[in-house]
Amino acid sequence: MGSQFFIFLLLLAVQGKMDRETSFDQNYEVIWGDDHVVFLNQGKEIQLTMDNSSGSGFGSKMAYGSGLFNMRIKVPNRNSAGVVTAYYLSSEGSKHDELDFEFLGNREGKPYRLQTNVFVDGQGNREQRIRLWFDPTADFHNYRILWNQHQIVFYVDNVPIRVFKNKTNIGVGYPSKAMQIQATLWDAESWATNGGKTKTDWLYAPFKANFQGFDVSGCQVLTSNAKNCSSDNFWWNRQKFWHLDPVRLSQYERIKHKYTTYDYCTDRKRYPQIPLECL
C-alpha cells in the first residue's frame, strides 16, 4: 500500500510539472515546413520532421539581447547521416551574429558529433566539435546558452562544453545584436557527415527531432538595440555569471581534454596564425 501511494504521489508531481510547463505558442511559432511539424502533449512538445521534400523549423516570437536560453532536445535515431538538428540564436541581416548548437547525424551505430559555432558580424568559422558522453537519440537532454556582456557559455546537462569570452578590448568581435531563438531540422549531406562523403539515406525518412521546454529567460528587445540588456537587473548578468565557478571550470577542462574531436583554435592548416580569441 505504501509503495503504491508513493507512486501515486510521484505521478501527481510529474503531471503537475507538465501542467505548469510553458506551451509552445506562448513564446514560439513555426517558421517553415508547417506540414512537417507535429504538436504533442497539448503543445508542451514539438516534433520537427524531415523527408526529401522538406525539413522544418520554429523560432521565437521575440528577439533577445542577453539571457540563459534552454531547450530539451531528442535528436533523430537510426541512420541519420547527413541530417542536422540545430538549436541556435541568430540576428537578421548579412552581418548577423549567431550562436549554434548543431547535432551532426551519423550512420547507425556511429556516434553523433555536437558542433558549436560563434558568428560575429557575419563571420563564423569558429567550429568546435565534441562527442557526447551519452546517446542523444535515446532521451531528452538539456542544452543551454548563457549570453551576457562578459561571456557566452554552451552547456549540455549543466556541464559547460564551450566558453567564448568577451575580448573586445584586444580587437575580437563579440555578439551584441538582438537575436531570435530558432530550432531546425534540415538536410546538410554536403558537409555534415565525414565532410560530406556520407550522404543522407532517404529510406530512413521521415527523420524526427523532438523539443520540450519553451519558457525563455531572456531580455526582450523590441528594436535591434540590445544595450539595455546588459543591466544587472537581469540575474544572468550578475557577477557570478561572469566566469565559471571552480566546479564548472573543472568540468569544462575535462570536456576539452576528453571529448573534443575538433577545435578551430588548434587547426594550424586552416589558421596558420592562432585566432586572437584563442590566445
Side-chain angles (χ1 to χ4, degrees), residues 101 111-114 130-136 141-143 154-162 251-252 254-256 258-260:
F101 274 116
Y112 263 80
R113 291 288 183 263
L114 176 57
I130 66 167
R131 59 181 177 85
L132 293 164
W133 52 95
F134 54 85
D135 178 1
H141 290 267
N142 284 299
Y143 303 92
F154 295 80
Y155 293 90
V156 176
D157 289 339
N158 293 321
V159 175
I161 64 161
R162 180 172 187 172
Q251 291 175 332
Y252 177 49
R254 182 171 179 267
I255 293 295
K256 285 199 297 183
K258 188 172 181 181
Y259 293 98
T260 298

Side-chain angles (χ1 to χ4, degrees), residues 3-33:
S3 61
Q4 289 179 336
F5 183 66
F6 174 77
I7 292 171
F8 174 71
L9 291 177
L10 184 62
L11 289 172
L12 283 180
V14 170
Q15 183 62 48
K17 182 177 183 296
M18 291 178 64
D19 291 343
R20 291 192 301 272
E21 284 189 359
T22 304
S23 62
F24 172 82
D25 58 7
Q26 287 182 248
N27 293 316
Y28 291 90
E29 59 190 355
V30 176
I31 55 176
W32 65 287

